[in-house]
Structure formats: structure tokens, C-alpha cells
Amino acid sequence: MRIAGADVIVTSPGRNFVTLEITTDDGLVGYGDATLNGRELAAASYLRDHVVPLLIGRDAHKIEDTWQYLYRGAYWRRGPVTMAAIAAVDVALWDIKAKAAGMPLYQLLGGASRTGIRAYGHASGRDLPELLDSVRARQAEGFRSIRVQSGVPGLETIYGISARGKDYEPAGRHPLPNEETWDTRAYLRHLPTVFEAVRNEFGPELPLLHDCHHRLTPIQAAKLGKALEPYDLFWLEDCTPAENQEALRLVREHTTTPLAIGEVFNTAFDYQTLIREQLIDYVRSAVTHTGGVTAMRKLFDYAGLYQVKTGIHGPTDISPVGMAAGLHLDLAIHNFGIQEFMPHSAETYEVFRRSYTFEDGYLHPGETPGIGVELDKKAAEKFEYEPAYLPVNRLRDGTLHDW
């Protein structure tokens, strides 16, 4: 079975997505996600101009060989654009292989290790009453685990906080990124009071998560993790920029709050120290940004050797194709932890027809052969690409800071 064609589709049903469609000489079609929020056209160009010409005529069943060909053969390795492009090819080929076998992908990965995939939803509020209402809304939708993000007094807009009645989408359709103002000391003072109030309202059993979004130094992260220990978080996410893997030693020494890291990582090399020294508890990479199913399975198996679990990145800038691929891994692997789940817009689901489901707090990829997502090209054509950028952060004195 040979690759006969490949097409890169950029569509914007509410937000921008980059999809690779691979067709074989016997008519099978597979889809992969290469969406890179705020840099979508870079990933699309890498695929269209440098990867697609290499695919035509290759054996569609040789997934590992194709992965290595694209990773090692380019000489210039790693990085978000390269790994998103490789991920798109990899997922599309796994989609094709599973369709050829007449099975959902998770069956080719060893079969189901659980009946459902525990998911967490996002609750946010500009103030405490709005946050508590948001937690209740997520519970009403069926979520049994909830990420909590709160506004900070004195800061007008910050990561994770949506306007009342609107879904949170940080990528703004503006010529330049929006600029937000950040105050670490105000955040560190305020956040423990937020979790105290949420615990008092909802009790000790509800798993609660929080995302620092890389904004703290190691000692600040250690201080926050210690302050949050009484509120028994499921995890504290991206507490400090983890490119400096050794920095997590300091955080780990000072707090028993579980740590989740890695949504901006692209390969297993980014995790080596973190996993080997058990400095984190959950790996947060997305299939879309970390080389696809092939690379993620190897990463998860390595993490499992050290009792580190998974928490695949699952925001709305991962398309339903990328989400579905992650769900098949979630169902199959042994060291699954939890899955982030932000439901996409109705427009997005019009373009990407999916078989995965969410019910009573659990996701399931479905039993459709392949990954279970098909792209409607006619629907996709209705939504033209629009430039959109994630915000940037500045301290009160104007210094550029991690957003």
C-alpha cells in the first residue's frame, strides 16, 4: 500500500487548524494534525514544501521507518514546527493502518487498558463568585475533575480567564499580539485564598488542578506548591519554565504538591532529567506537538518506568484529529493519569466529524476504524485562515515576561 497523495488543509472554524490528509493507492485516507497556535502557516509550509514531496510513493505501512526518515533525514532535528509536521504524518499513517485493519487505533496499540478516560474541564472566574459558578457549570456538564484559574485583584486580564458567558480563547485575531500585565507577588498572595474558598465550597473529594503557565521562578514555584499543599491539588501545572530541567529539583525539595510539565515540549529529550529523577508526576505533551503516536508511546513507556503518569495536553488549539489520536493512546497505555478536555465549537465539529464521546466525566475514542475523525473539505472551505496570535506578558515596569 503506497502513499498516492497528500494535501495540507488550513481552515479556521472559530480558530485556525492545520490538517494533513494522506491518500493511499487503494483509496484509504488518513488525517493528522499539525496545528501550531499562532504559527500555523509555518507548520503548513514545512509540510507542503518540504515533507509532502518526500511522502509520495512511500509504503504507508512503514510508520516507524517514515518517522525516522523525517526526523533523522532532515538533519535539523526537533523544534515545534518540525515535530508538528512529523506528528501529522505519523497520525495520518496510523489512521490509515487502523482503517486497513478494520479496527480503532487503540486496538493496534495493545487494546484497552480501561473502560473510559478520566477528563478534566476548565473553570475560571474574574472574581470568586464567578469562579464558583464556573466550577458548578463544569460539574453540570459532567466533569469530575476541574482545573481552577482565577483573576487576580489589580490585574485586568491574565491567562486562563474568559469574559463572562464566553468560552476562553487566548489567540486573538489582531495584527499584533495583545499585551497583558503580570504581577507575581499579587498572584502568590491571592491564589491560596482562592483554593481555600473552592475547597470550602466543594469539599475535599473534587480533584482540583491549576496551571501556573510558566510564570514563576523555581523558588516562587516551590513557595506556591508549599502554600497549596493544604488544598490537596491533583497537580500544579507548568509551575516554572522547564527548559532548565534541573530547576525542578529545587521545587521538588520544597513541596509534595504533584507537578505536571511539558505542554511546550517537543521530544522525549526535553524530559530526560525530569523523568529519570522523578522530578515530575505527569507528562503534558500533546500528540500534535511531540512527533505523533509513535513518539508519544515511547515517551509514555519511558515515563512509566519511573511511575510518572500522563496528562495529554488537550486545549481547543489541538484539533479533533489530534485529540482523537491522544484518546487512543490514553485508552491503551498503562500509566494513564488524566486527559485535558476543552470541547470545540460547533463550527469546528462541523468540519471535523468525530466518533469520540464524553459522558459522565469520561472520554472514549469510539469503535470506528482508524482514529475516528473525518474532515469535511466542503465545510472546511467555508472558514478561511485568519491570522491570530497568543498574548504576550509584561511586568508592571514593562519587562517582557513569560505569559
Side-chain angles (χ1 to χ4, degrees), residues 65-364:
D65 184 69
T66 298
W67 197 99
Q68 299 294 344
Y69 182 74
L70 295 175
Y71 181 79
R72 298 178 187 276
Y75 186 71
W76 310 109
R77 302 179 184 182
R78 306 168 68 182
V81 175
T82 295
M83 299 310 292
I86 292 175
V89 175
D90 184 79
V91 170
L93 293 181
W94 276 110
D95 191 18
I96 287 169
K97 185 181 282 287
K99 287 173 178 174
M103 295 180 177
L105 175 57
Y106 76 83
Q107 293 289 10
L108 300 190
L109 301 176
S113 291
R114 54 198 48 81
T115 57
I117 299 160
R118 177 169 57 171
Y120 72 88
H122 291 189
S124 71
R126 293 167 294 179
D127 53 32
L128 191 56
E130 189 171 291
L131 172 61
L132 298 180
D133 285 345
S134 183
V135 173
R136 296 185 191 99
R138 299 295 83 76
Q139 288 181 311
E141 292 166 357
F143 286 101
R144 299 182 177 187
S145 305
I146 297 174
R147 191 187 82 167
V148 170
Q149 304 294 134
S150 172
V152 175
L155 299 182
E156 184 176 347
T157 57
I158 64 172
Y159 165 79
I161 309 302
S162 58
R164 181 179 292 275
K166 295 184 178 180
D167 293 330
Y168 180 63
E169 173 49 66
R173 297 178 183 272
H174 308 290
L176 295 173
N178 284 337
E179 294 196 0
E180 298 179 354
T181 301
W182 179 248
D183 184 331
T184 302
R185 287 176 57 83
Y187 168 75
L188 293 176
R189 288 194 304 270
H190 183 63
L191 196 65
T193 69
V194 170
F195 275 92
E196 180 181 24
V198 173
R199 275 286 176 235
N200 287 341
E201 181 72 17
F202 296 99
E205 297 300 321
L206 179 64
L208 299 176
L209 307 86
H210 178 71
D211 185 0
C212 298
H213 222 243
H214 323 278
R215 294 172 299 198
L216 306 179
T217 65
I219 196 64
Q220 290 167 347
K223 179 179 180 179
L224 180 61
K226 187 73 172 177
L228 294 177
E229 283 178 12
Y231 311 113
D232 188 26
L233 268 64
F234 185 94
W235 78 33
L236 185 64
E237 179 185 344
D238 288 332
C239 59
T240 191
E243 295 94 329
N244 178 13
Q245 296 184 37
E246 291 80 3
L248 270 294
R249 292 176 185 150
L250 186 151
V251 182
R252 194 61 134 181
E253 287 172 0
H254 288 85
T255 181
T256 58
T257 297
L259 304 175
I261 289 286
E263 71 179 48
V264 298
F265 286 176
N266 308 126
T267 71
F269 298 107
D270 299 315
Y271 287 101
Q272 278 183 298
T273 299
L274 298 175
I275 291 174
R276 185 177 62 249
E277 297 188 18
Q278 295 178 278
L279 301 179
I280 59 172
D281 302 279
Y282 299 90
V283 295
R284 285 280 291 134
S285 284
V287 174
T288 297
H289 300 144
T290 316
V293 170
T294 297
M296 290 281 278
R297 181 60 186 265
K298 293 174 183 177
L299 169 62
F300 292 164
D301 286 345
Y302 174 56
L305 296 176
Y306 296 90
Q307 297 178 298
V308 175
K309 294 186 177 183
T310 68
I312 292 178
H313 188 46
T316 50
D317 58 9
I318 304 296
S319 86
V321 172
M323 173 62 72
L327 296 182
H328 285 278
L329 276 166
D330 287 337
L331 199 64
I333 60 174
H334 176 258
N335 57 321
F336 168 76
I338 200 167
Q339 172 66 54
E340 181 179 20
F341 180 49
M342 292 181 69
H344 288 93
S345 67
E347 292 175 321
T348 298
Y349 288 142
E350 180 185 352
V351 173
F352 298 93
R353 299 176 181 175
R354 72 213 184 278
S355 64
Y356 62 80
T357 57
F358 174 71
E359 184 177 0
D360 198 23
Y362 291 87
L363 289 154
H364 195 282

